[in-house]
Amino acid sequence: MKAIAIETHRLILHELTLDDVEDLAKIYADPVVMKYYPKLITREETKHQFARMINGYQQRGWGLWATIHKADNKFIGRCGLIPQIVDGCSEVEIGYMLAKQYWKQGLATEAACAIRDYGFGIGCDRLISLIAPKHIASQKVALKTGLCYEKDTIFRGRTAQVYAIARPTNSK
């Protein structure tokens, strides 16, 4: 049994395992899903990412998680927290990527809200999302999750918009 990191009404998020490589590689190979990313990601590159993600679980206890749709028990993407360096500052990003057949159902927002709450629950004072300027759907998810546009930046050689939220002062 895989340890569940987060469970919502419609989703289960758990640590990615090598059993998930093929499912994630299919999503990374979809040009529609990857439209705002620098390039498609090959199966081999996906396997290398998994090694980094598993190392992150061991070092931090969190990272990107397999995202399972409860209704059909299918792997539908990867969502979670990603450590980033943005403009020289350490940040924690809320990341979300779902297979296109699961878009426009509120699932990314459901995942992002749960990840936000998890991040604040483990002591993050601030969370961000890095979003391509023309990626309107992702911007809407960030806004529905409570993040606000903060600035444009150059991240990994490309313009990205930084959306951010601070932990509410009444959170522990």
Side-chain angles (χ1 to χ4, degrees), residues 112-133:
C113 287
I115 294 161
R116 174 202 62 209
D117 295 346
Y118 180 93
F120 289 148
I122 62 168
C124 295
D125 290 324
R126 170 183 155 91
L127 297 166
I128 67 163
S129 282
L130 296 166
I131 303 172

Side-chain angles (χ1 to χ4, degrees), residues 58-72:
Q58 293 166 351
Q59 288 183 348
R60 294 180 298 278
W62 50 264
L64 286 171
W65 296 297
T67 304
I68 309 300
H69 189 246
K70 285 183 182 178
D72 54 15

Side-chain angles (χ1 to χ4, degrees), residues 11-17 20 23-25 27-28 33-34 37-38 41 46 49-50 52-53 57 63-68 74-82 84 93-99 107-108 111-112 115 130 138 156:
L11 301 170
I12 295 172
L13 281 66
H14 65 72
E15 289 185 6
L16 287 154
T17 69
D20 301 314
D23 289 327
L24 187 55
I27 294 170
Y28 283 165
V33 173
M34 299 299 288
Y37 288 82
I41 298 172
T46 303
Q49 273 193 9
F50 269 70
R52 286 194 310 273
M53 287 186 243
Y57 301 147
L64 286 171
W65 296 297
T67 304
I68 309 300
K74 296 253 192 221
F75 179 102
I76 65 168
R78 53 93 177 133
C79 301
L81 296 170
I82 311 163
Q84 302 287 18
E93 180 182 10
I94 298 172
Y96 38 88
M97 179 186 288
L98 300 178
L107 294 168
I115 294 161
L130 296 166
S138 189
R156 297 184 182 158

Side-chain angles (χ1 to χ4, degrees), residues 109-161:
T109 300
E110 185 173 324
C113 287
I115 294 161
R116 174 202 62 209
D117 295 346
Y118 180 93
F120 289 148
I122 62 168
C124 295
D125 290 324
R126 170 183 155 91
L127 297 166
I128 67 163
S129 282
L130 296 166
I131 303 172
K134 294 182 180 178
H135 197 335
I136 304 303
S138 189
Q139 293 168 16
K140 288 180 180 179
V141 170
L143 292 170
K144 289 177 188 173
T145 305
L147 285 79
C148 296
Y149 170 79
E150 188 173 89
K151 64 181 178 179
D152 282 7
T153 191
I154 301 300
F155 183 76
R156 297 184 182 158
R158 297 167 60 104
T159 300
Q161 294 181 328

